[in-house]
């Protein structure tokens, strides 16, 4: 009996030495495989939670207000009006919203030789944007003008007039008063070749 037990043990030991590395290798691979999956999932969760939020869209500027994101127009200079400034203003489709970044008042005081900023809107009297025209300072003895153009988006005018032609009737510009003498001037806009487009902005500029 002892001989048979000894022989059986001697035969079993080599087999055990061959099987054990295979079993241990399989356990090790299973452990590595199962350990890598949670790490990958953790990384995915971390990446998703740390993703930056999309930036909020900037608010649109109010009608007639200066916008820092808009392309600034080149500075123009008022020049004496060669022909007499129009005495009649049959068109009523115009308004000036701001002068020097302030709401336009009935009388607006500016310094002689300074620059002045103007923002508003102008139609041609036929529910369309004025387009290319003149911004006029009409004085008792002398008048001045600068060329300007509409083109600023004004959806509020489309709603107010019920006319798509007024969609781009807004304007903004900066003008030099270097050539303007001290005095009081009425503000008008219009197309020089069409007197029917002349519109009185119902505001006064006092140059001091």
């Amino acid at each position: 009996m002892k001989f048979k037990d000894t022989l059986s043990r001697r035969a079993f030991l080599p087999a055990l030495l061959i099987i054990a590395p295979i079993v241990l290798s399989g356990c090790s691979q299973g452990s590595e495989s199962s350990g890598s999956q949670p790490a990958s999932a953790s990384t995915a969760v971390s990446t998703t939670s740390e993703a930056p939020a999309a930036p909020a869209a900037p608010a649109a500027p109010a009608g007639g207000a200066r916008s820092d994101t808009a392309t600034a127009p080149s500075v123009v200079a008022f020049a004496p009006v060669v022909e007499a400034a129009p005495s009649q203003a049959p068109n009523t489709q115009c308004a000036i919203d701001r002068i020097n970044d302030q709401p336009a008042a009935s009388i607006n005081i500016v310094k002689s030789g300074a620059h002045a900023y103007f923002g508003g809107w102008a139609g041609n009297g036929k529910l369309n944007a004025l387009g290319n025209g003149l911004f006029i300072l009409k004085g008792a003895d002398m008048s001045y003008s600068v060329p300007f153009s509409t083109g600023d988006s004004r959806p509020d005018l489309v709603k107010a007039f019920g006319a798509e032609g007024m969609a781009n009737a807004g304007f903004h510009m900066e003008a030099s008063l270097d050539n303007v003498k001290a005095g009081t001037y009425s503000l008008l806009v219009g197309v020089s070749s069409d007197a029917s487009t002349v519109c009185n902005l119902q505001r006064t500029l006092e140059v001091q």
Side-chain angles (χ1 to χ4, degrees):
M1 290 293 293
K2 290 182 179 180
F3 176 78
K4 288 182 180 181
D5 290 343
T6 303
L7 183 61
S8 176
R9 288 175 183 173
R10 287 179 179 177
F12 176 75
L13 286 174
L16 180 63
L17 292 174
I18 295 172
I19 296 170
I22 297 173
V23 173
L24 290 175
S25 175
C27 291
S28 176
Q29 290 177 0
S31 175
E32 290 175 1
S33 175
S34 62
S36 63
Q37 187 171 358
S40 176
S42 175
T43 303
V45 171
S46 175
T47 302
T48 303
S49 62
E50 293 177 4
R66 190 198 300 252
S67 171
D68 292 336
T69 58
T71 303
S74 57
V75 179
V76 291
F78 280 100
V81 174
V82 177
E83 299 177 0
S87 57
Q88 306 240 344
N91 179 13
T92 60
Q93 295 170 5
C94 68
I96 187 161
D97 301 322
R98 304 182 74 81
I99 296 177
N100 285 341
D101 287 338
Q102 298 294 326
S106 297
I107 300 175
N108 304 271
I109 300 174
V110 295
K111 297 294 183 182
S112 178
H115 287 190
Y117 169 82
F118 303 95
W121 58 272
N124 64 356
K126 300 174 183 177
L127 295 178
N128 288 306
L130 183 67
N132 298 324
L134 294 176
F135 189 95
I136 303 167
L137 306 183
K138 183 183 177 182
D141 301 320
M142 178 70 84
S143 297
Y144 303 86
S145 70
V146 291
F148 84 107
S149 298
T150 55
D152 293 354
S153 177
R154 291 297 296 263
D156 56 322
L157 298 178
V158 175
K159 184 177 180 179
F161 288 100
E164 289 293 334
M166 299 293 285
N168 297 308
F171 70 85
H172 65 283
M173 66 173 182
E174 188 174 359
S176 168
L177 299 168
D178 285 344
N179 301 322
V180 180
K181 294 181 179 179
T184 301
Y185 300 89
S186 297
L187 304 182
L188 297 84
V189 292
V191 177
S192 59
S193 60
D194 186 354
S196 68
T197 63
V198 177
C199 184
N200 191 333
L201 292 164
Q202 305 296 330
R203 294 291 184 268
T204 298
L205 195 71
E206 186 173 324
V207 181
Q208 297 182 343

